[in-house]
Amino acid sequence: MSVVELNQGLEKPPERLDLQDVALFLDLDGTLAPIAARPQDVRPDERRTALLKRLAERLDRRLAVVSGRPLEEIDHILEGEVTAVAGIHGLVRRDAEGRVVRAEAHQGLELARARLNEFAGQDPGLLVEDKGLSLTLHYRLAQPLGEAARELIAATAAETGLTYQPGDMVAELRTPGASKGDSIRAFMAEPPFAGFKPVFLGDDLTDEHGFFAVRSLGGYGILIGPERRTTALYRMDDVEAALAWLEEAAQ
């Protein structure tokens, strides 16, 4: 997967989104909801729920959320307004008709779970999030231990064959398999997404696979947050800017 350098022309947000010819893909944390210190701190929001309901109607269901969270958490936070969802970075996918496909859990997760829980015991700011198909070590509240956390994750991945996936103040061990980009490609091969131009909004390094996928399919990605090297073609400053842009399109 290649990247392109952001430049002055690419930093500007895109013009108003025309929903008639697009299929819309949205990350959750850092895109639709501000990043929280703990994953459980992100809750349903009336404004976000109303926006997603209107977008789904205007897009005739060509709307999917592609997130690192488990499917059940996504449904809770979004109050069930989005049917097409890819969870755990693509390891679980529910299509627009409600059919769900899940990967099989990797056998190395058992060893990884014991190691991460032992490591997290040294500081109350460390949190292990068990998603069934992956394990995420959050260190936003224990940043001095970030390097040690990343080293532990990398070593465990090398030993077990699990996939090491870095993120914003998190390090994740996941069952090898589909990425966010793979999920977007799968959605784009099916009704109601097929034949439309894909647009993907995301913020984290895990979203680069999605940016690359939509670009290869003739669409574009929008990075939410600070400037960095990215395959996205556009950028917005923060979650508020993303929500306002989507609300304008949904009018």
Side-chain angles (χ1 to χ4, degrees):
M1 184 177 70
S2 62
V3 297
V4 294
E5 290 280 6
L6 279 173
N7 57 35
Q8 191 65 31
L10 298 183
E11 290 179 18
K12 298 177 181 178
E15 297 178 357
R16 178 170 176 162
L17 181 65
D18 184 351
L19 299 181
Q20 292 186 0
D21 66 344
V22 303
L24 187 59
F25 299 91
L26 303 171
D27 176 43
L28 177 48
D29 296 277
T31 301
L32 290 174
I35 296 292
R38 304 178 304 166
Q40 61 265 39
D41 292 337
V42 179
R43 298 180 175 89
D45 175 80
E46 183 178 350
R47 175 191 180 188
R48 181 175 58 236
T49 298
L51 170 61
L52 292 172
K53 181 177 182 178
R54 185 161 179 82
L55 283 171
E57 293 171 351
R58 291 288 310 280
L59 287 161
D60 195 20
R61 300 186 304 133
R62 301 188 308 277
L63 173 67
V65 167
V66 184
S67 169
R69 286 182 180 266
L71 184 63
E72 296 76 15
E73 287 185 15
I74 299 169
D75 284 344
H76 169 67
I77 294 169
L78 304 185
E79 300 187 271
E81 288 296 341
V82 182
T83 301
V85 170
I88 317 182
H89 308 288
L91 294 178
V92 179
R93 191 175 74 90
R94 183 176 65 206
D95 67 16
E97 301 302 322
R99 296 171 294 224
V100 178
V101 177
R102 297 178 183 268
E104 293 291 331
H106 190 279
Q107 60 185 6
L109 287 168
E110 183 176 355
L111 173 61
R113 186 175 292 110
R115 287 189 178 175
L116 267 60
N117 284 329
E118 181 181 5
F119 179 80
Q122 65 184 295
D123 191 297
L126 294 169
L127 172 66
V128 177
E129 183 184 7
D130 192 338
K131 304 176 186 177
L133 297 175
S134 74
L135 298 161
T136 304
L137 182 58
H138 296 258
Y139 53 87
R140 188 175 300 276
L141 298 177
Q143 294 185 31
L145 293 172
E147 183 176 356
R150 293 188 296 271
E151 289 176 353
L152 172 64
I153 293 288
T156 305
E159 181 177 346
T160 61
L162 292 165
T163 297
Y164 171 27
Q165 186 157 285
D168 184 9
M169 300 295 175
V170 300
E172 187 164 358
L173 287 167
R174 63 190 295 264
T175 295
S179 68
K180 288 187 176 183
D182 294 325
S183 294
I184 289 174
R185 290 187 181 91
F187 282 127
M188 288 298 296
E190 304 167 344
F193 301 93
F196 290 84
K197 180 170 68 177
V199 175
F200 177 47
L201 278 65
D203 71 301
D204 208 347
L205 292 174
T206 61
D207 296 313
E208 289 298 325
H209 294 97
F211 294 150
F212 184 80
V214 295
R215 191 166 177 181
S216 68
L217 292 169
Y220 59 86
I222 303 173
L223 174 66
I224 310 302
E227 179 180 345
R228 61 170 169 80
R229 284 174 59 89
T230 180
T231 312
L233 293 182
Y234 300 99
R235 187 183 71 85
M236 296 182 188
D237 286 338
D238 50 29
V239 170
E240 176 59 35
L243 292 176
W245 185 71
L246 292 169
E247 285 171 337
E248 182 182 22
Q251 292 301 317

